[in-house]
Amino acid sequence: MSMKTLCQTPAKLILTGEHAVLFGAPALSMAIDLPTRCYMDFSPYTSSLESSCLEIELSDFNEKQSYPLSVWQQRVIEIETRFALYEKQSLSIQSVLQQPVDLILLTFQQFHNAYRLNPGHWTVKIQSHQLTEKGLGSSASVIISLLQSLYSHHELNYSDIELLSMAQRVESHQHGSSSGLDPTTVLKGGLLRYQQGSPLQKLTSHPFHGWIIDTGSPESTTGQAVNQVHRDFNHQHPIWTEFKNVAQLIEQAWQDSNATELKEAIKQNQQLLERIGVVPPTVQRFIHTLNQSSESAAKICGAGSVTGEKAGIVLCISQHAPEALCQEYGYDYYPLKFSEKGSRCEMVL
Ligand SMILES: Nc1ncnc2c1ncn2[C@@H]1O[C@H](COP(=O)(O)OP(=O)(O)OP(=O)(O)O)[C@@H](O)[C@H]1O
Ligand SMILES: N[C@@H](CCO)C(=O)O
């Protein structure tokens, strides 16, 4: 019998810890109400897995194509070969996944390797919000929505740890290395304190007014930015202690609901991000203007960019939207909408 599911997964926004989380610092990250939707439809075959077919529609990229099992498996072999070359430093990270569909095929293959995909016709449609590839964790939302859909279709009991370790493995092919922060945030929802090697903590949400400001798609990918930071700053570099300290200030201010301290710490966090070279000059100027006022505090909230003038999404904590300045720079802005809910999957008729 055929079965249909819809999985809706929020986006993520990092309050503190982008880059630093990969060097052992704590991160505070929240799920936000910008859903990625994954529609999955399965019709079983009575014949063998070999005749299975995967039909993928990526609405945001205007792509729709069918992949017989042998074709997608060959394509994943090529992806894994490129990833192995990347790990030997013979290929750049942005050459590993060459097209958006590669991420989908790789996720299916990881699931298949672990659990063996049921034979049949699989149809997948993915639809995101308008702010993908701007630091809000779109690849993590795609991966989590796909994996959750696959677990549902196979009626498998799974632990979050199993699902997240698979997601982190897939995400490494996109980002070069992954702390697991993005997949964890979009799976669980809410506001999380995440630090590699420490237990995950859920923090209480507070009604701080925030805005997400779109400075445009970064010219470099997250993978490139992560790699450049790793090349320029080793694990022993003292700047990571400064990141840890500022994360502590932000966490304390958040827990105390202290807006003044929160804004001050966000400004310090932004200065550190500028020092690691991930904030382009135009975005630095924009943020400096906002940060001169005691009313507002802004920082980039994704990996930023190591080339060009755009840095993806900037978070601005302030009562009122920075309308005039956004207009001057030609940036769109939206109210920050927190999502207490994480990723969820339902059957559809
Ligand atoms: N709606 C979508 N449909 C298909 N693929 C998508 C979609 N959204 C994102 N992707 C895939 O994810 C990639 C972008 O992922 P990436 O995580 O680098 O970007 P991001 O949104 O800036 O998030 P991050 O905060 O992790 O940097 C795209 O190049 C594409 O392959
Ligand atoms: N979001 C990435 C680091 C770049 O900010 C990760 O947690 O792996």
Side-chain angles (χ1 to χ4, degrees):
M1 215 178 68
S2 88
M3 174 175 166
K4 289 183 188 176
T5 51
L6 165 61
C7 192
Q8 302 198 65
T9 309
K12 69 96 218 252
L13 181 134
I14 301 178
L15 196 55
T16 184
E18 52 286 272
H19 293 286
V21 69
L22 289 163
F23 295 84
L28 299 186
S29 174
M30 62 176 84
I32 60 170
D33 191 14
L34 285 171
T36 291
R37 297 190 172 88
C38 172
Y39 300 87
M40 193 176 278
D41 191 341
F42 173 65
S43 304
Y45 289 164
T46 39
S47 54
S48 69
L49 184 69
E50 274 53 54
S51 56
S52 286
C53 187
L54 187 50
E55 193 177 313
I56 302 171
E57 181 176 352
L58 304 178
S59 318
D60 305 293
F61 293 88
N62 284 321
E63 274 184 37
K64 188 174 177 177
Q65 207 172 326
S66 284
Y67 298 85
L69 181 87
S70 58
V71 174
W72 64 260
Q73 293 207 321
Q74 178 55 35
R75 211 148 148 171
V76 172
I77 291 171
E78 289 162 15
I79 294 169
E80 292 294 11
T81 307
R82 293 196 294 272
F83 188 61
L85 287 171
Y86 157 73
E87 288 189 306
K88 288 188 184 135
Q89 296 174 358
S90 303
L91 205 63
S92 63
I93 185 61
Q94 61 273 26
S95 313
V96 175
L97 298 177
Q98 297 185 335
Q99 292 180 29
V101 76
D102 287 348
L103 185 70
I104 319 299
L105 297 174
L106 182 65
T107 308
F108 260 84
Q109 184 67 39
Q110 289 286 329
F111 184 88
H112 179 58
N113 291 346
Y115 303 104
R116 206 151 173 86
L117 202 65
N118 287 339
H121 188 91
W122 291 90
T123 307
V124 178
K125 180 176 169 185
I126 292 177
Q127 219 170 23
S128 277
H129 47 85
Q130 77 280 23
L131 297 176
T132 58
E133 298 181 292
K134 290 179 177 172
L136 298 180
S138 61
S139 57
S141 302
V142 167
I143 298 165
I144 290 293
S145 69
L146 275 169
L147 287 176
Q148 259 198 339
S149 307
L150 283 166
Y151 277 111
S152 294
H153 277 267
H154 289 80
E155 293 175 7
L156 286 167
N157 287 327
Y158 62 91
S159 65
D160 286 354
I161 290 174
E162 272 175 281
L163 186 146
L164 286 169
S165 73
M166 202 179 293
Q168 189 174 356
R169 230 174 9 255
V170 178
E171 199 189 36
S172 300
H173 291 64
Q174 183 78 42
H175 290 174
S177 52
S178 156
S179 68
L181 170 66
D182 299 5
T184 306
T185 307
V186 302
L187 176 68
K188 304 263 189 194
L191 176 73
L192 303 179
R193 182 192 191 275
Y194 185 94
Q195 186 171 24
Q196 295 190 83
S198 299
L200 188 68
Q201 281 176 40
K202 219 164 185 178
L203 304 186
T204 324
S205 59
H206 292 296
F208 291 115
H209 282 272
W211 307 91
I212 52 177
I213 301 166
D214 182 4
T215 72
S217 295
E219 257 177 46
S220 60
T221 63
T222 297
Q224 279 172 287
V226 165
N227 280 347
Q228 179 161 315
V229 171
H230 274 75
R231 198 192 61 209
D232 296 346
F233 296 85
N234 62 26
H235 277 260
Q236 281 70 45
H237 198 287
I239 199 158
W240 303 121
T241 307
E242 294 185 61
F243 270 103
K244 278 181 197 163
N245 293 342
V246 93
Q248 239 160 33
L249 293 176
I250 291 181
E251 186 180 344
Q252 195 59 54
W254 187 272
Q255 281 178 338
D256 297 345
S257 261
N258 186 331
T260 310
E261 298 281 324
L262 180 69
K263 287 181 198 163
E264 187 45 46
I266 282 178
K267 292 176 189 181
Q268 286 179 31
N269 198 154
Q270 168 63 18
Q271 284 169 5
L272 291 174
L273 289 163
E274 289 176 15
R275 277 170 54 198
I276 59 170
V278 295
V279 191
T282 306
V283 178
Q284 285 195 25
R285 278 198 301 280
F286 172 76
I287 293 178
H288 287 180
T289 308
L290 287 173
N291 285 356
Q292 270 162 17
S293 157
S294 59
E295 294 302 307
S296 55
K299 63 180 277 294
I300 62 159
C301 55
S305 188
V306 290
T307 50
E309 288 301 334
K310 300 164 191 162
I313 299 297
V314 162
L315 165 70
C316 176
I317 303 283
S318 95
Q319 191 71 19
H320 304 289
E323 193 181 343
L325 194 66
C326 286
Q327 217 162 35
E328 186 186 323
Y329 280 74
Y331 296 160
D332 290 331
Y333 61 87
Y334 310 86
L336 174 65
K337 287 193 197 150
F338 181 69
S339 172
E340 193 58 64
K341 284 188 188 149
S343 186
R344 56 209 181 275
C345 231
E346 58 187 298
M347 298 274 191
V348 287
L349 295 175

